[in-house]
């Protein structure tokens, strides 16, 4: 029997090290040079200046007023959070200090009620960008400084004075929201949406973080991700007028043409734009200490089948770091559909990762090293047709025999949405697995149709769903229940209803031409390169 790895080095985990530039690497993770304590920040002029600016902004905004402590008051703490904001090339843009309330000490019904965060769906971002690029509209990026501070609180919330700025034994009664409060995103969204509606915008029902303005020949779309905003308009004059109106009420910063949004780099060329996360990918490699690793041509070997029973369990610290890296990889899939299946696979073992799973994560990182400059192309030439491809790998999991389903949805030639996910139940046949995957793809298509209707886009033909399983294709059009299909849950049969109403076309496609094949299984190198090409992935 082969000897099992017992030491940290044998399991591929690097010991803590301190480098000459002051960074510390511990368990494959590297610190960012940001202060770890209040005393450390107060001793640095850059961070002290950032704290003074934040505190002054809070006072100018009339965020609170001081009151004496009362018995029975739910008093919450606060802390400083430090972050170095960097540009797309990695250089330092500014030092940022933010005062954050410890909202986890709030009590429901006393100092907060409803909570939610205004976060736009990334598929909505891709769709709006594809329409803007195809129509030649301007794309502008805005940033709201101290966005949450603009929200007006309806509840009574009491907070201790900011550490390092205490002046008396009084406490702060918050009049406006502050970062960290459970209701802060709701208060900010309410304030912003009220202003936009007063200017003639309408909130989308398909994505509440998308606001639409359509009047005569002028169209404006606004995408909101908390305090980061993308605006695209058919007229630059209307875009500038909107910016002036918003500046009167909010501390708005115009960042110019869209170039860097939520860690996503937007680069323009003659064919359209390319969305990439090259800097983010390099940061992940640096955190793990694999910036100079040997590259791999595919994220997972085509013959490997991961199991939760193989390998030795990682220690508690190493398991935490495994989850941290896998979570970072999930965010990388926003522009990297080629990573969707492999990242979904290693996500299935977050509860109890082993050395084998960690080896698979390192294989993914080696592939990222090979393709660090790759991005998702949104072409300038587009058509108003919606097409989807669905596929499934029947009983692909060797642990529970569940199938993996995947789909890709295109608007014209632009890839808008994709998915690679293990199905919730065991499928009795490949037909059932494919049919379930078709249902998931159809649900995404219905959502996309609804969003396009709100954006004023009328489709020239019903959406087309391509499937490579003859039985599933037949099942979507046959209203008669057969013995082999009677056990399938009723909610999957809405595909048949869409087909009967001529709102969806389901067509058969040869397996060799199936674009969604790479979302359900690991592919050999030649098929994987073809898979990437079909998804519009190319070098930046």
């Amino acid at each position: 029997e082969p000897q099992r790895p017992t030491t940290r080095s044998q399991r591929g985990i690097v010991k803590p090290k301190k480098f000459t530039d002051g960074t510390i690497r511990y368990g494959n993770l590297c610190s960012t040079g940001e202060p770890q304590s209040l005393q450390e920040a107060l001793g640095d002029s850059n961070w002290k200046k950032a704290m003074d600016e934040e505190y002054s902004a809070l006072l100018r905004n009339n965020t609170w007023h001081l009151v004496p402590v009362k018995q029975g008051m739910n008093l919450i703490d606060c802390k400083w959070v430090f972050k170095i904001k960097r540009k797309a090339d990695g250089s330092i843009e500014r030092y940022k200090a933010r005062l954050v309330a410890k909202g986890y000490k709030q009590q429901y019904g006393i100092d907060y009620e409803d909570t939610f965060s205004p976060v736009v769906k990334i598929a909505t971002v891709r769709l709006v960008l594809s329409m803007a690029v195809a129509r030649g509209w301007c794309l502008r990026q805005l940033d709201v400084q101290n966005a949450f501070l603009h929200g007006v609180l309806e509840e009574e919330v009491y907070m201790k004075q900011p550490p390092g700025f205490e002046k008396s034994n009084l406490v702060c009664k918050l009049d406006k929201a502050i970062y960290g409060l459970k209701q802060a995103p709701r208060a900010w969204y309410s304030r912003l949406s009220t202003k936009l509606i007063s200017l003639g915008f309408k909130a989308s029902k398909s994505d509440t973080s998308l606001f639409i303005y359509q009047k005569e020949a002028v169209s404006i779309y606004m995408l909101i991700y908390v305090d980061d905003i993308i605006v695209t308009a058919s007229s630059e004059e209307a875009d500038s007028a909107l910016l002036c109106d918003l500046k009167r009420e909010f501390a708005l910063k115009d960042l110019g043409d869209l170039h860097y949004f939520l860690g996503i780099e937007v680069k323009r060329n003659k064919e359209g734009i390319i969305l990439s996360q090259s800097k983010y990918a390099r940061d992940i490699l640096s955190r793990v200490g694999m910036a100079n690793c040997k590259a791999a041509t595919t994220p997972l070997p085509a013959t490997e089948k991961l199991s939760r029973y193989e390998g030795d369990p990682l220690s508690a610290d190493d398991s935490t770091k495994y989850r941290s890296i896998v979570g970072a990889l999930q965010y990388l899939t926003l522009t990297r559909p080629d990573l969707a299946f492999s990242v979904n696979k290693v996500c299935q073992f977050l509860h109890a990762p082993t050395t084998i799973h960690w080896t698979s994560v390192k294989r993914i990182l080696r592939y990222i090293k090979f393709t660090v400059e790759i991005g998702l192309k949104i072409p300038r030439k587009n058509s108003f047709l919606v097409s989807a491809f669905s596929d499934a790998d029947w009983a692909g999991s060797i642990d529970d025999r569940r199938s993996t389903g995947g789909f890709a949805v295109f608007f014209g030639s632009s890839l808008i949405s994709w998915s690679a996910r293990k199905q919730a139940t065991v499928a009795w046949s490949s037909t059932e697995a494919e049919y379930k995957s078709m249902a998931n793809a159809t649900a995404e298509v219905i959502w996309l149709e609804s969003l396009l209707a709100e954006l004023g886009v009328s489709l020239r033909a019903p959406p087309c769903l391509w499937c490579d399983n003859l039985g599933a294709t037949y099942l979507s059009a046959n209203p008669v229940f057969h013995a082999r299909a009677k056990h399938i849950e009723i909610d999957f049969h809405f595909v048949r209803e869409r087909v009967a109403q001529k709102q969806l076309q389901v067509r058969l496609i040869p397996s060799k031409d199936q674009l969604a094949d790479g979302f359900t299984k690991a592919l050999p190198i030649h098929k994987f390169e073809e898979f990437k090409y079909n998804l519009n992935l190319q070098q930046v």
Side-chain angles (χ1 to χ4, degrees):
E1 183 178 354
Q3 185 179 1
R4 295 181 179 179
T6 56
T7 64
R8 292 169 62 89
S9 59
Q10 288 175 335
R11 295 198 303 265
I13 308 299
V14 183
K15 294 181 179 180
K17 293 182 181 180
K18 187 172 183 179
F19 295 86
T20 55
D21 61 356
T23 59
I24 298 174
R25 193 178 305 285
Y26 180 81
N28 295 330
L29 298 181
C30 182
S31 69
T32 58
E34 295 153 1
Q36 302 299 315
S37 65
L38 178 64
Q39 290 72 21
E40 186 180 346
L42 292 173
D44 188 302
S45 59
N46 291 321
W47 293 113
K48 183 64 170 64
K49 181 181 177 182
M51 293 170 66
D52 291 337
E53 291 176 352
E54 174 77 358
Y55 184 75
S56 299
L58 292 169
L59 295 181
R60 287 195 305 270
N61 193 56
N62 298 319
T63 307
W64 63 67
H65 65 273
L66 299 177
V67 298
V69 181
K70 296 181 181 179
Q71 187 175 4
M73 177 186 295
N74 184 36
L75 187 62
I76 63 176
D77 297 321
C78 59
K79 67 176 182 178
W80 289 99
V81 176
F82 305 99
K83 182 71 175 177
I84 296 178
K85 305 294 286 186
R86 299 184 183 272
K87 300 178 182 178
D89 59 2
S91 60
I92 296 178
E93 180 179 2
R94 62 190 172 101
Y95 294 85
K96 186 172 185 178
R98 174 164 286 166
L99 185 68
V100 178
K102 295 184 179 180
Y104 59 84
K105 292 188 176 182
Q106 290 182 261
Q107 298 180 12
Y108 181 77
I110 296 179
D111 50 12
Y112 84 95
E113 291 183 1
D114 295 331
T115 64
F116 70 90
S117 181
V119 177
V120 68
K121 295 181 177 68
I122 194 64
T124 305
V125 176
R126 298 189 200 101
L127 176 62
V128 172
L129 290 182
S130 67
M131 293 178 59
V133 170
R135 296 174 176 179
W137 289 5
C138 61
L139 282 167
R140 179 173 286 184
Q141 182 178 356
L142 309 176
D143 178 60
V144 183
Q145 299 176 356
N146 297 315
F148 284 2
L149 307 185
H150 294 286
V152 179
L153 291 179
E154 300 176 357
E155 305 86 2
E156 289 190 0
V157 183
Y158 299 93
M159 183 186 75
K160 293 181 180 179
Q161 295 189 52
F165 294 85
E166 299 91 341
K167 296 181 179 179
S168 62
N169 293 326
L170 302 177
V171 297
C172 303
K173 182 181 185 299
L174 297 180
D175 300 311
K176 294 184 179 178
I178 191 173
Y179 287 88
L181 292 183
K182 293 182 179 293
Q183 66 267 49
R186 173 180 58 82
W188 155 241
Y189 178 83
S190 177
R191 175 87 179 274
L192 178 61
S193 60
T194 301
K195 176 63 178 179
L196 292 176
I197 290 173
S198 68
L199 295 175
F201 282 82
K202 292 183 179 180
S204 167
K205 294 182 176 62
S206 302
D207 190 336
T208 55
S209 293
L210 168 65
F211 287 85
I212 304 169
Y213 177 90
Q214 289 179 330
K215 188 175 182 180
E216 297 177 352
V218 177
S219 297
I220 305 176
Y221 304 147
M222 179 176 285
L223 299 163
I224 300 171
Y225 196 102
V226 190
D227 55 352
D228 291 310
I229 298 174
I230 295 178
V231 179
T232 179
S234 58
S235 167
E236 291 190 12
E237 292 77 11
D239 193 10
S240 300
L242 170 64
L243 185 61
C244 292
D245 287 334
L246 293 177
K247 278 187 175 180
R248 296 190 185 101
E249 190 162 346
F250 305 109
L252 207 62
K253 184 178 180 181
D254 184 8
L255 302 179
D257 291 339
L258 179 64
H259 62 280
Y260 194 62
F261 179 74
L262 301 177
I264 300 174
E265 303 165 43
V266 181
K267 298 186 178 181
R268 292 169 171 80
N269 56 28
K270 295 181 180 179
E271 299 177 354
I273 63 175
I274 298 178
L275 306 179
S276 69
Q277 294 171 278
S278 300
K279 176 186 177 299
Y280 183 73
R282 292 192 189 94
D283 290 343
I284 296 176
L285 293 173
S286 297
R287 286 172 56 188
V288 190
M290 296 180 62
N292 299 315
C293 66
K294 183 180 179 181
T297 54
T298 57
L300 286 179
T303 57
E304 185 172 3
K305 295 285 188 179
L306 294 178
S307 171
R308 60 184 174 184
Y309 303 110
E310 295 182 353
D312 296 323
L314 297 179
S315 66
D317 289 341
D318 295 343
S319 296
T320 299
K321 293 164 183 59
Y322 175 93
R323 298 182 187 105
S324 176
I325 296 300
V326 171
L329 291 175
Q330 281 185 301
Y331 192 76
L332 188 58
T333 60
L334 295 184
T335 59
R336 297 289 301 273
D338 55 325
L339 296 173
F341 172 77
S342 56
V343 173
N344 173 264
K345 202 66 180 176
V346 295
C347 282
Q348 296 173 17
F349 309 102
L350 290 175
H351 61 292
T354 69
T355 52
I356 298 297
H357 306 144
W358 175 245
T359 301
S360 297
V361 171
K362 289 198 294 183
R363 170 65 181 253
I364 297 174
L365 293 170
R366 289 171 53 208
Y367 169 73
I368 292 174
K369 171 67 176 178
F370 180 69
T371 58
V372 70
E373 294 292 342
I374 204 172
L376 180 65
K377 181 179 72 173
I378 297 181
R380 189 178 301 277
K381 295 181 179 179
N382 214 340
S383 63
F384 295 96
L385 295 173
V386 173
S387 56
F389 297 81
S390 71
D391 193 23
D393 181 34
W394 180 47
S397 174
I398 60 177
D399 291 333
D400 52 19
R401 310 311 296 177
R402 293 184 184 180
S403 307
T404 299
F407 64 78
V409 181
F410 290 82
F411 177 59
S413 55
S414 297
L415 179 60
I416 301 300
S417 182
W418 60 82
S419 174
R421 186 177 301 176
K422 182 192 284 190
Q423 294 180 354
T425 56
V426 178
W428 283 17
S429 64
S430 60
T431 296
E432 180 183 348
E434 296 274 2
Y435 192 56
K436 290 179 178 180
S437 183
M438 287 175 58
N440 293 331
T442 301
E444 191 73 7
V445 168
I446 293 174
W447 171 81
L448 185 60
E449 280 185 291
S450 175
L451 185 57
L452 286 170
E454 291 183 308
L455 294 173
V457 177
S458 56
L459 300 179
R460 300 174 182 175
C464 184
L465 176 59
W466 298 90
C467 174
D468 60 2
N469 185 278
L470 181 61
T473 305
Y474 177 73
L475 192 61
S476 66
N478 185 7
V480 180
F481 282 91
H482 295 284
R484 64 178 181 178
K486 65 181 180 181
H487 65 281
I488 299 178
E489 294 89 338
I490 297 298
D491 56 348
F492 290 112
H493 291 296
F494 75 95
V495 179
R496 182 181 300 163
E497 181 179 321
R498 302 287 294 188
V499 173
Q501 296 174 353
K502 299 185 184 296
Q503 295 176 335
L504 178 70
Q505 306 175 60
V506 176
R507 295 180 181 176
L508 186 67
I509 187 174
S511 296
K512 63 183 180 63
D513 297 328
Q514 176 58 266
L515 268 63
D517 196 31
F519 293 122
T520 62
K521 62 180 74 70
L523 300 177
I525 177 62
H526 64 283
K527 287 188 176 181
F528 191 70
E529 289 298 324
E530 184 180 355
F531 171 69
K532 291 195 297 183
Y533 176 80
N534 291 331
L535 297 182
N536 294 329
L537 288 169
Q538 68 176 39
Q539 290 292 116
V540 177

